[in-house]
Amino acid sequence: MDFDEIVIRTDRLDFPALTAGEGPVVVCWHGFPDHPATFGPLAEHLVAAGRRVVAPFLRGHHPATVDRMPYTDSITLAADGAAVAEALSPDAGVDMIGHDIGAGVVGRLAAVWPERVRRAVTMAVPPPKAIPPILRDPAQQQRLFYMWLFQLPGLAETVLEADRALVDYLWATWSPGLEIGDHRANVHKLYGDPQVIRNALRIYRGNFDTALHDPDLAELAGKTENPATIPLLVLAGEDDGCIPPEFFAGAESGLAPGSSVRVVADAGHFMQLDQPAEIARLSLEWFDQP
């Protein structure tokens, strides 16, 4: 997929983004360690179906925004998502797909700013209400070793800045057998920037360090962790080596009525690359519902 790069101007920040196609917008939010361009194979199917795909860079993950990240909490990222949606469609909500960290962006955005969402899909991460039980499981704690490593200032930076070995390991274990081809170069280039690395680490530290939370958004904290007020399609990869599908079993309790949780066969964590045609089919069916 040949993307054009654009800048989405909002009252919060100007967001660089990749875009392709014409028609109703689908905003795709990426995660870690990832790059918006990995939505390319999925975008090919969405564009062929008459959609315009817009894949922004998360705040702090592009040279234009690396120094624009005073806060890194999940509410900050969700507010960014709402601002982008408003800029792209001031008078109506847009369809959204969120992967990994992007899943949290979309889920929390839908909880607080549902008017900015028409229909939404989240991938590879359960809704916020399902996260605490996951963190209490010892085997899952082991899979999330990188999260604990990232809490250690200095050591985490040293590991990630030395080379991209940890990034490659996460990709290989999260989506076993996936051949990422040219996407590897994009991911390596993005996380070869020490400033981007530090911003990504601060997102993970913002899960626990309230000094990284925007005080102006603090009153929204309760709403963002509650179930979204609109139905979501939540997708889990059958072979996900980061968060296995069994941890999505109770996800419905954290979702609005009418939501759906699906396990995608022969897909790992990076399901937009593992099974782009199937993800497109499921997403378009969800978007096209009345």
Side-chain angles (χ1 to χ4, degrees):
M1 171 58 65
D2 293 325
F3 283 113
D4 294 321
E5 185 163 331
I6 62 172
V7 176
I8 304 168
R9 305 198 182 278
T10 81
D11 58 359
R12 290 179 57 78
L13 186 69
D14 291 344
F15 288 90
L18 305 182
T19 189
E22 299 291 337
V25 172
V26 180
V27 179
C28 299
W29 286 100
H30 71 91
F32 171 89
D34 208 351
H35 188 287
T38 66
F39 283 111
L42 173 59
E44 289 183 9
H45 296 279
L46 298 176
V47 168
R51 298 301 187 116
R52 179 191 180 201
V53 173
V54 178
F57 288 80
L58 288 170
R59 178 187 290 261
H61 285 66
H62 186 280
T65 65
V66 288
D67 60 347
R68 300 293 306 280
M69 204 168 186
Y71 303 108
T72 65
D73 55 304
S74 59
I75 308 175
T76 288
L77 300 181
D80 288 346
V84 166
E86 182 178 12
L88 293 171
S89 180
D91 300 321
V94 300
D95 293 329
M96 298 183 187
I97 298 174
H99 175 254
D100 190 78
I101 290 174
V105 171
V106 172
R108 292 179 171 92
L109 190 169
V112 182
W113 298 278
E115 71 279 6
R116 295 296 163 209
V117 185
R118 200 189 73 86
R119 303 283 286 181
V121 179
T122 64
M123 303 191 296
V125 174
K129 281 287 187 182
I131 296 299
I134 290 176
L135 297 180
R136 292 194 292 269
D137 181 88
Q140 187 58 29
Q141 291 168 6
Q142 186 175 27
R143 295 184 193 97
L144 297 177
F145 76 93
Y146 64 97
M147 286 184 58
W148 322 130
L149 169 64
F150 291 172
Q151 305 308 311
L152 301 175
L155 177 60
E157 285 83 352
T158 298
V159 169
L160 283 174
E161 290 178 19
D163 54 40
R164 257 36 71 205
L166 177 58
V167 168
D168 287 341
Y169 176 82
L170 295 177
W171 272 79
T173 55
W174 290 359
S175 271
L178 174 64
E179 296 293 335
I180 64 174
D182 293 341
H183 295 298
R184 184 173 184 269
N186 285 329
V187 171
H188 275 222
K189 182 178 179 181
L190 184 63
Y191 295 98
D193 184 336
Q195 291 178 287
V196 170
I197 288 173
R198 295 186 185 109
N199 286 338
L201 291 173
R202 291 173 71 243
I203 288 177
Y204 282 95
R205 290 168 186 165
N207 290 325
F208 306 100
D209 184 356
T210 57
L212 295 173
H213 295 191
D214 186 346
D216 291 339
L217 299 176
E219 64 182 25
L220 301 176
K223 288 184 178 180
T224 60
E225 304 313 298
N226 286 330
T229 58
I230 62 171
L232 302 179
L233 173 61
V234 177
L235 302 179
E238 181 181 48
D239 304 317
D240 194 326
C242 179
I243 304 179
E246 57 263 31
F247 290 104
F248 290 74
E252 287 90 346
S253 65
L255 297 169
S259 297
S260 179
V261 179
R262 303 283 297 273
V263 177
V264 182
D266 300 318
H269 191 74
F270 298 97
M271 63 187 78
Q272 71 271 32
L273 292 175
D274 286 308
Q275 295 290 344
E278 179 64 3
I279 300 304
R281 183 186 71 81
L282 292 169
S283 298
L284 289 166
E285 285 182 356
W286 186 254
F287 295 153
D288 290 342
Q289 290 184 31

